[in-house]
């Protein structure tokens, strides 16, 4: 798909087949992650991306999760703390117009990034 991302990294963890309309969103998402990787110069691990509705429900995902549309990824950038560094870096990149504006979630072990059409921010770190 891109220089550093393969479609398999974005598949649902249940093993189901990804619908074609979801694939087009995944391609767009992967291109945004490639921009991030190129600018940061560090590998990105995709912990979770597409989730079919059944799998999303099974793991307790939000009922309208962007993951179900192939528009979201939970990532870790090598060498950066998800809550203390990655979140703020991506927020700045979105504000500067370097990557698409969308959803950004702050968690202790990963950062959620999605390409929804509206800005959304949340903090799910343990306080």
């Amino acid at each position: 798909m891109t220089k550093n991302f393969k479609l398999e990294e974005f598949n649902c963890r249940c093993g189901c087949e990804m619908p074609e309309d979801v694939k087009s969103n995944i391609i767009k998402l992967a291109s945004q992650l490639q921009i991030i990787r190129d600018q940061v110069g560090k590998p990105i691990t995709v912990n979770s991306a597409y989730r079919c509705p059944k799998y999303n429900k099974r793991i307790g995902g939000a009922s309208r999760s962007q993951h179900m549309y192939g528009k979201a990824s939970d990532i870790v950038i090598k060498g950066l703390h998800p809550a203390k560094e990655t979140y703020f870096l991506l927020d700045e990149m979105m504000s500067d117009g370097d990557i698409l504006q969308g959803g950004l979630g702050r968690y202790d072990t990963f950062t959620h990034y999605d390409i929804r059409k509206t800005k959304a921010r949340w903090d799910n770190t343990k306080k």
Side-chain angles (χ1 to χ4, degrees):
M1 273 188 331
T2 73
K3 182 172 67 176
N4 296 105
F5 295 101
K6 296 178 176 29
L7 182 61
E8 297 78 40
E9 295 176 82
F10 297 84
N11 285 337
C12 183
R13 300 294 185 227
C14 80
C16 68
E17 189 169 334
M18 185 184 295
E20 286 302 316
D21 61 326
V22 170
K23 274 186 193 170
S24 64
N25 290 333
I26 288 292
I27 291 167
K28 190 173 184 179
L29 176 63
S31 71
Q32 295 302 296
L33 292 176
Q34 186 65 54
I35 293 167
I36 295 166
R37 190 191 190 291
D38 290 344
Q39 286 193 18
V40 176
K42 296 174 183 268
I44 295 175
T45 300
V46 177
N47 292 345
S48 179
Y50 171 62
R51 297 179 194 153
C52 69
K54 186 177 177 181
Y55 182 73
N56 188 65
K57 185 174 183 175
R58 190 173 96 207
I59 65 166
S63 62
R64 296 176 52 116
S65 172
Q66 295 296 306
H67 287 276
M68 294 189 299
Y69 309 106
K71 293 183 174 186
S73 59
D74 296 336
I75 63 168
V76 173
I77 299 177
K78 186 175 184 172
L80 298 182
H81 190 281
K84 297 177 183 172
E85 296 171 298
T86 302
Y87 175 89
F88 296 104
L89 174 69
L90 297 184
D91 190 42
E92 184 177 317
M93 289 179 77
M94 284 190 241
S95 296
D96 292 345
D98 295 333
I99 57 173
L100 291 175
Q101 185 67 256
L104 190 59
R106 189 173 173 207
Y107 296 82
D108 291 314
T109 59
F110 65 89
T111 305
H112 171 99
Y113 169 65
D114 71 54
I115 56 172
R116 71 182 77 189
K117 294 188 185 291
T118 56
K119 181 178 180 178
R121 300 289 183 272
W122 63 93
D123 185 346
N124 277 10
T125 56
K126 293 182 175 72
K127 301 195 167 63

